[in-house]
């Protein structure tokens, strides 16, 4: 289901991830629902590679990232001002990497969402949730109908 990277004479080719950045803390919601494995980047950076093992059309899983670079004031750790960012990881749409000896996260491609966001800001009809509502990820049954952008995942 996940289009994997191609190897050509010791070179692994894949499309660009959405973001690579440092993190302070990563929180996987619904931990038992995730599939993960120990892996490495270029054989040197120890990571866990996690993905949403649900079937296409089922709901996304959420991972929350706390990152210093997103803070308004770098030295102030205030989550009321600098809220952690939540990301929706959809079935069959890539891996979320958390790398330990570099404190890097690698977020999967999200270009396939078009104008939609990989954040839990929607309601069950796929419209943006109202300010007084808790948002969810874009509904999985609707996300499954979005076109494949040809991304390959590593």
């Amino acid at each position: 289901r996940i289009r994997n990277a191609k190897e050509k004479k010791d070179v692994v080719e894949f499309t660009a991830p959405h973001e690579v950045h440092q993190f302070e803390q990563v929180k996987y919601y619904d931990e038992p629902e995730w599939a993960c494995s120990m892996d490495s980047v270029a054989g040197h950076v120890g990571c866990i590679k996690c993905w949403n093992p649900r079937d296409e059309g089922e709901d996304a899983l959420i991972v929350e990232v706390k990152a210093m670079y997103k803070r308004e004031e770098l030295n102030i750790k205030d989550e009321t001002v600098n809220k952690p960012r939540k990301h929706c990881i959809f079935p069959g749409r890539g891996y979320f990497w958390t790398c330990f000896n570099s404190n890097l996260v690698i977020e999967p491609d999200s270009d396939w969402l078009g104008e939609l966001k990989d954040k839990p800001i929607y309601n069950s009809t796929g419209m943006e949730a109202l300010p007084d509502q808790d948002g969810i990820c874009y509904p999985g049954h609707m996300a499954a109908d979005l076109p494949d952008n040809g991304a390959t995942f590593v």
Side-chain angles (χ1 to χ4, degrees):
R1 288 191 359 234
I2 294 178
R3 188 179 296 115
N4 289 311
K6 299 173 190 167
E7 290 192 43
K8 291 182 181 178
K9 294 185 182 183
D10 300 327
V11 175
V12 178
E13 294 180 355
F14 53 92
T15 52
H18 174 65
E19 270 187 14
V20 177
H21 62 82
Q22 288 190 306
F23 72 92
E24 290 178 273
Q25 181 179 353
V26 173
K27 163 74 173 123
Y28 292 88
Y29 287 77
D30 301 313
E31 295 95 333
E33 298 290 319
W34 290 85
C36 299
S37 64
M38 297 299 293
D39 211 326
S40 65
V41 173
H44 298 287
V45 181
C47 307
I48 60 171
K49 174 171 109 175
C50 295
W51 62 96
N52 183 338
R54 295 174 175 167
D55 291 329
E56 187 175 345
E58 292 188 55
D59 288 334
L61 290 170
I62 296 175
V63 61
E64 180 181 85
V65 180
K66 295 179 185 178
M68 291 175 68
Y69 85 98
K70 292 285 186 179
R71 292 182 185 172
E72 293 287 327
E73 294 285 334
L74 184 64
N75 295 322
I76 298 174
K77 188 174 182 177
D78 181 353
E79 291 183 9
T80 61
V81 174
N82 304 303
K83 294 183 178 8
R85 297 183 55 144
K86 294 179 180 176
H87 299 277
C88 301
I89 308 300
F90 291 85
R93 296 291 188 156
Y95 306 102
F96 189 92
W97 293 71
T98 305
C99 301
F100 305 111
N101 53 351
S102 62
N103 274 27
L104 289 177
V105 293
I106 304 171
E107 300 173 16
D109 168 71
S110 60
D111 184 64
W112 65 276
L113 287 166
E115 297 297 316
L116 301 170
K117 304 289 183 207
D118 71 337
K119 312 279 183 268
I121 59 170
Y122 299 97
N123 63 27
S124 61
T125 66
M127 301 299 292
E128 285 197 24
L130 298 173
D132 62 337
Q133 296 175 321
D134 287 333
I136 61 171
C137 295
Y138 192 71
H141 68 281
M142 296 170 76
D145 292 335
L146 296 172
D148 184 340
N149 67 348
T152 54
F153 306 103
V154 63

